[in-house]
Amino acid sequence: LFKNFTSLSLLQISNYIFPLITLPYLVRVLGPEKYGLINFAAAFTGYFTILTDYGFNLSATQEISVNRDDKQKVSEIFSSVITSKLLLYFISTIIFFSCLISFNIFKTDNTLFIISYAGLIGTVIFPLWYFQGTEKMNFIFIINFVIKLITVILIFLLIKNSADYLLLVIIYSTSQVVYGLTGLITVIKKFKVRLFLTNLEDIINQLRKSKNIFMSSLSISVISSSNVFILGLFVDKSTVGYFAAADKIRLAFQSMLGPLFTATFPHVSNLAKKSFEQFYNFNKKSFFFTFTFGLIIFLIIFWNAENLVKIILGNGYENSIIILKTLSVIPFLYSISNFLGVQILLPLNYSKKYAAIMFFALVVHTSFALILANYFQAVGSAVAIIVAEMFTIILLLISVIKIKTDMVYK
């Protein structure tokens, strides 16, 4: 568990340290408008990432973890998940080009949107869930680190002014594709896992098994990624740039929580099957650490927001300071909601309840985001996330208390 946690920590650090290295350079070279436009396109592609992921990063992780010693079963799971994701990618592509043709907001910069979408195939074929389920995250770190390093070097060598914004997106998309292919080949060649096309029945079964986690993952992902897109519907791209830049800083800090949840999920899933008492005792200890860590991150961002914006973003991004201060509480709220949902409800097989809660949270977030972004712009978008997270925590807490009570009286 510790080895897996360390690898995940290094992975998350590289995922956000490398972008933070380029962020000060890119926001200055591209300016708020082009930077906002690129993030608007990325947010649109993000919806299709959510669809093609289909919650497999949790459901398939759990399935691989339980069957990791059965080579044949692992190959069957691996093949059915990859085939399912490719089918979802085909459906996504049809929807994507339909939107591109139908809506004027995409027509002006359709080349940008197409290039941004092209990188999605790399995410589709990258078997993150396999590495998590088998707790071999050190391989992901090595692959990720090398590709991210090359990407950073190319950015500094090739991106010189705002006219290079399309080239930047080409670099991003190409790195995603290389990342996906490398991960897929590693699993097939290194770990001797067979990949074969599965029949429609296997695909339907895989999608059915993952549907509840997909609904909860859909809600979580839309809440976290739709803000830039919704904001872009109401304001100019410069304002989108201010928000996106501030949110990048928030996400960089929040990412430090990721390894904790990802590394412990397979472990708590096994504990939940063996003994509720062991599961409860482990989570009781880890909650204190999670809560404290989230609180520290919140205070660091809030009290240093002005300096962070000045150092990382530079002149011209003063509007990002108040946005970052507003966003700063989200990592703390996220640490609580994610713990209650992913570390407790899912391992105990309450995925349907979790999905229902997250769907209601999505409705609340979208409603507030559409209203607040229209009237209060970027700060309103930040507040919408906070409202949704608080709503989620309340409902999850009620559910967890009820489950514990039921377990005690059993």
Side-chain angles (χ1 to χ4, degrees), residues 48-91:
F48 300 103
T49 303
I50 296 165
L51 175 59
T52 54
D53 277 350
Y54 201 76
F56 290 126
N57 285 344
L58 287 176
S59 62
T61 296
Q62 193 171 19
E63 201 172 357
I64 291 285
S65 177
V66 172
N67 297 282
R68 69 177 78 180
D69 296 324
D70 186 339
K71 274 278 187 181
Q72 177 60 29
K73 185 65 177 176
V74 167
S75 291
E76 289 174 5
I77 296 167
F78 182 78
S79 298
S80 63
V81 172
I82 291 291
T83 307
S84 299
K85 285 169 73 70
L86 288 172
L87 176 62
L88 292 170
Y89 176 73
F90 176 72
I91 295 169

Side-chain angles (χ1 to χ4, degrees), residues 21-54:
I21 291 171
T22 57
L23 181 62
Y25 178 72
L26 290 176
V27 293
R28 288 167 172 82
V29 170
L30 297 177
E33 184 181 353
K34 292 299 183 187
Y35 187 74
L37 181 60
I38 288 172
N39 280 274
F40 182 65
F44 182 56
T45 301
Y47 287 112
F48 300 103
T49 303
I50 296 165
L51 175 59
T52 54
D53 277 350
Y54 201 76

Side-chain angles (χ1 to χ4, degrees), residues 144-157:
N144 186 71
F145 183 86
V146 172
I147 292 174
K148 284 285 195 301
L149 181 61
I150 294 170
T151 301
V152 168
I153 293 170
L154 288 174
I155 287 172
F156 283 115
L157 287 177

Side-chain angles (χ1 to χ4, degrees), residues 89-199:
Y89 176 73
F90 176 72
I91 295 169
S92 296
T93 303
I94 294 172
I95 299 171
F96 171 78
F97 281 102
S98 298
C99 291
L100 214 62
I101 295 168
S102 304
F103 300 102
N104 290 329
I105 194 169
F106 304 120
K107 289 180 181 179
T108 308
D109 299 287
N110 59 1
T111 303
L112 169 66
F113 285 99
I114 292 170
I115 296 170
S116 181
Y117 181 81
L120 177 61
I121 187 63
T123 306
V124 169
I125 62 175
F126 187 80
L128 173 65
W129 36 272
Y130 173 84
F131 291 108
Q132 288 178 174
T134 54
E135 299 188 52
K136 291 180 168 59
M137 296 302 294
N138 55 311
F139 288 93
I140 293 188
F141 169 67
I142 294 167
I143 295 168
N144 186 71
F145 183 86
V146 172
I147 292 174
K148 284 285 195 301
L149 181 61
I150 294 170
T151 301
V152 168
I153 293 170
L154 288 174
I155 287 172
F156 283 115
L157 287 177
L158 302 177
I159 309 303
K160 299 299 180 184
N161 53 60
S162 60
D164 296 327
Y165 74 102
L166 283 179
L167 179 58
L168 176 63
V169 182
I170 290 172
I171 293 172
Y172 283 149
S173 292
T174 303
S175 68
Q176 278 183 279
V177 174
V178 174
Y179 184 56
L181 286 171
T182 307
L184 186 67
I185 293 168
T186 299
V187 173
I188 295 170
K189 297 293 185 183
K190 173 74 176 174
F191 301 111
K192 309 300 180 186
V193 176
R194 293 189 303 113
L195 175 62
F196 49 87
L197 285 176
T198 53
N199 57 43

